[in-house]
Amino acid sequence: MTEADRQTIGDGEDLCFINGAYRPLAEARISPLDRGFLFGDGVYEVIPVYSGRPFRLQAHLSRLRRSLDEARLPSPYSDAEWASLLTRIIDSHGGGDQSLYLQVTRGAPDLRDHAFPDGERPTVFVMSSPLRAPEARGRSVILVDDIRWRRCDIKTVSLLPNVLLRQQAIEAGADEAVLIRDGFITEGAASNLFVVEGGALVTPPKSPLLLPGITRDLVVELAEANGLECRQENISLARFRSADEVWLSSSTKEVIPVTSVDGQPVGDGRPGPVWWRMRELYDAFKADLADPGKREAISTS
Ligand code: PDD
């Protein structure tokens, strides 16, 4: 932040970026005609920040670009512009560990109409939230029908089905809903899924039925680089129920163990040995980010 910014915004303000300007979050405003508000017509990203550095930034920006393309939204910024904008938000929150939220919607035209507006400028919003290291405790899930549409590969803000599914899990006393479509597991309401069978990792292949998670990709990469077998295969309900271990992955939760499915223990009901090994690999990878000699190579891709 420059001295001029400090004077207009003030130290200690929760700075966000909204439509081309940096403002305290409490003062950020959008029009009620915004298509994100009226239609859920927009896309988003959640990017973890460790030691002041956005984690896997290039992968998040590539996925953002893909979501924008699939939603036929114009891309408001180049990758370099996004990077400098995000850096400014990170720095204004004092670096360290944070979670960045970024959203682009199809703007706020004067009239509500389902069809695309003509030449409307997209609304761009970025904020930072605290990021806490996940606890190494087992989580519980329930199995539910995947009621979502067939383009779950687009990271859209139209999240009503995901919201309902997660709430269903919470009201059943569980942490996450695991979604089933046509007898196969897709993902969690806000996470990807792994099982361990005989020491090998298995995760559903990428398809329009699930989000191509950045954490999922990293777990696959870490497994392959460290001699853990990892396969990308469809997982039937029966296979899921008899897995030795079950994990969830997401940018804010990293990789967390599931120890109960529909009230039944997974394995011996405790986080399994392969999860502990992955936890170690993941932590080592994150620690390298804090090392200036290593981080350039790993933080961007
Ligand atoms: N959600 N699947 C869904 C439906 C998700 O919403 C998420 C993440 C993931 C994991 O993707 P990644 O590893 O790239 O975070 C999979 C974010 C964290 C959210 O909506 O808050």
Side-chain angles (χ1 to χ4, degrees):
M1 229 194 304
T2 65
E3 192 47 43
D5 289 334
R6 226 168 247 124
Q7 279 166 12
T8 46
I9 291 153
D11 280 329
E13 296 277 22
D14 191 357
L15 200 68
C16 73
F17 178 86
I18 181 91
N19 279 337
Y22 295 89
R23 295 190 191 291
L25 184 60
E27 290 170 20
R29 299 284 178 269
I30 57 156
S31 161
L33 290 174
D34 196 279
R35 292 178 62 96
F37 181 63
L38 293 180
F39 295 110
D41 185 3
V43 301
Y44 76 109
E45 276 295 323
V46 175
I47 309 174
V49 173
Y50 299 116
S51 309
R53 313 274 303 190
F55 195 57
R56 308 236 110 184
L57 178 60
Q58 199 49 54
H60 281 280
L61 292 180
S62 301
R63 185 173 65 183
L64 173 65
R65 196 158 298 282
R66 184 174 178 279
S67 295
L68 288 166
D69 286 348
E70 295 296 324
R72 297 172 57 196
L73 270 157
S75 181
Y77 298 117
S78 67
D79 285 3
E81 286 168 329
W82 277 121
S84 72
L85 196 162
L86 296 174
T87 301
R88 186 144 171 215
I89 295 293
I90 294 169
D91 291 349
S92 78
H93 287 81
D97 293 355
Q98 312 173 19
S99 170
L100 294 174
Y101 177 85
L102 175 172
Q103 174 170 329
V104 182
T105 76
R106 210 180 307 275
D110 292 340
L111 272 180
R112 179 184 178 275
D113 181 353
H114 285 65
F116 291 179
D118 269 341
E120 192 59 37
R121 259 194 325 149
T123 302
V124 178
F125 173 58
V126 180
M127 67 174 172
S128 168
S129 308
L131 180 68
R132 274 177 293 276
E135 298 160 43
R137 65 176 171 84
R139 308 303 205 280
S140 55
V141 299
I142 57 166
L143 289 161
V144 292
D145 192 28
D146 193 343
I147 56 172
R148 302 173 304 165
W149 69 334
R150 281 177 297 174
R151 290 308 309 274
C152 299
D153 54 322
I154 303 173
K155 200 162 171 63
T156 170
V157 296
S158 313
L159 287 172
L160 180 60
N162 305 62
V163 166
L164 291 174
L165 292 164
R166 168 64 67 83
Q167 188 59 26
Q168 195 179 336
I170 301 300
E171 287 174 8
D175 297 297
E176 177 64 306
V178 166
L179 315 182
I180 308 156
R181 197 185 288 250
D182 299 330
F184 291 90
I185 301 298
T186 53
E187 59 181 340
S191 49
N192 290 113
L193 223 131
F194 288 84
V195 300
V196 176
E197 291 175 340
L201 275 180
V202 187
T203 193
K206 288 182 187 173
S207 84
L209 301 182
L210 55 100
L211 187 79
I214 307 299
T215 319
R216 171 196 180 279
D217 283 352
L218 178 57
V219 169
V220 170
E221 255 176 69
L222 289 175
E224 284 170 353
N226 291 280
L228 280 173
E229 191 184 340
C230 183
R231 299 192 303 266
Q232 302 191 34
E233 291 172 2
N234 289 319
I235 301 169
S236 68
L237 194 51
R239 205 171 158 188
F240 182 77
R241 284 192 191 280
S242 59
D244 301 326
E245 298 182 26
V246 174
W247 313 344
L248 301 172
S249 71
S250 86
S251 290
T252 44
K253 295 198 196 78
E254 304 178 353
V255 192
I256 53 173
V258 172
T259 48
S260 150
V261 174
D262 282 342
Q264 299 299 309
V266 178
D268 66 2
R270 288 178 305 172
V274 187
W275 178 78
W276 282 108
R277 173 80 182 121
M278 182 53 67
R279 180 71 265 168
E280 251 170 47
L281 296 172
Y282 205 95
D283 283 342
F285 188 87
K286 275 169 58 184
D288 282 351
L289 261 189
D291 177 341
K294 296 182 183 168
R295 68 186 177 198
E296 288 306 331
I298 60 173
S299 64
T300 51
S301 54

